[in-house]
Amino acid sequence: MRFILNIIWLVLCGLWMALGYVVAGLICCVLIVTIPFGIASFRIAGYALWPFGRTTVERRDAGAGSLIGNVIWFIFAGWWLALGHIVTGIAMCLTIIGIPLGIANFKLIPISLMPLGREIVPTDRPFATR
């Protein structure tokens, strides 16, 4: 079932949302100071491309740096990407078949707003550490 949902997701909104994260990552990689934001954006792009079967967990070693970085990310890129998830989530929820995809879009909003200090893991081991 996850595979089918991921294929439908990829066709309807995953490719476009992942492209938004890649563009944000490329813009962030232009300056040396914002390269960590670009890396986080590329990581989330993969998650936005194929989200079913994976989830996010907080990293235990994330500190004040990730908090400050998340504030900067929110101001410059996070709310744009979250707005994209809100719009596509509402559009998906207009049909009965698209409701699971709309819910998945809404679940991606927190990581699009605050990506630093989060880790993407498979759903069968959400509490695993690396």
Side-chain angles (χ1 to χ4, degrees):
M1 187 56 127
R2 281 188 249 170
F3 180 74
I4 293 170
L5 284 172
N6 277 323
I7 294 296
I8 295 169
W9 171 272
L10 180 69
V11 172
L12 294 179
C13 64
L15 188 61
W16 302 111
M17 292 308 300
L19 186 63
Y21 283 105
V22 168
V23 168
L26 289 174
I27 291 170
C28 288
C29 284
V30 169
L31 299 171
I32 294 173
V33 176
T34 56
I35 287 177
F37 301 121
I39 293 170
S41 185
F42 293 142
R43 188 181 68 230
I44 300 169
Y47 181 51
L49 195 62
W50 204 259
F52 293 99
R54 297 191 288 174
T55 188
T56 62
V57 294
E58 290 186 29
R59 291 183 56 177
R60 296 172 195 244
D61 59 346
S66 64
L67 175 68
I68 294 167
N70 280 330
V71 170
I72 295 169
W73 172 264
F74 178 82
I75 293 169
F76 291 109
W79 70 278
W80 286 101
L81 295 167
L83 184 64
H85 284 297
I86 291 170
V87 169
T88 55
I90 291 171
M92 291 292 152
C93 286
L94 293 178
T95 64
I96 293 173
I97 296 171
I99 289 174
L101 303 174
I103 292 170
N105 257 312
F106 297 138
K107 286 183 180 178
L108 282 168
I109 292 172
I111 195 166
S112 69
L113 290 173
M114 294 179 284
L116 302 174
R118 307 282 299 174
E119 187 175 5
I120 300 166
V121 296
T123 54
D124 57 349
R125 57 183 185 104
F127 300 108
T129 58
R130 291 187 178 198

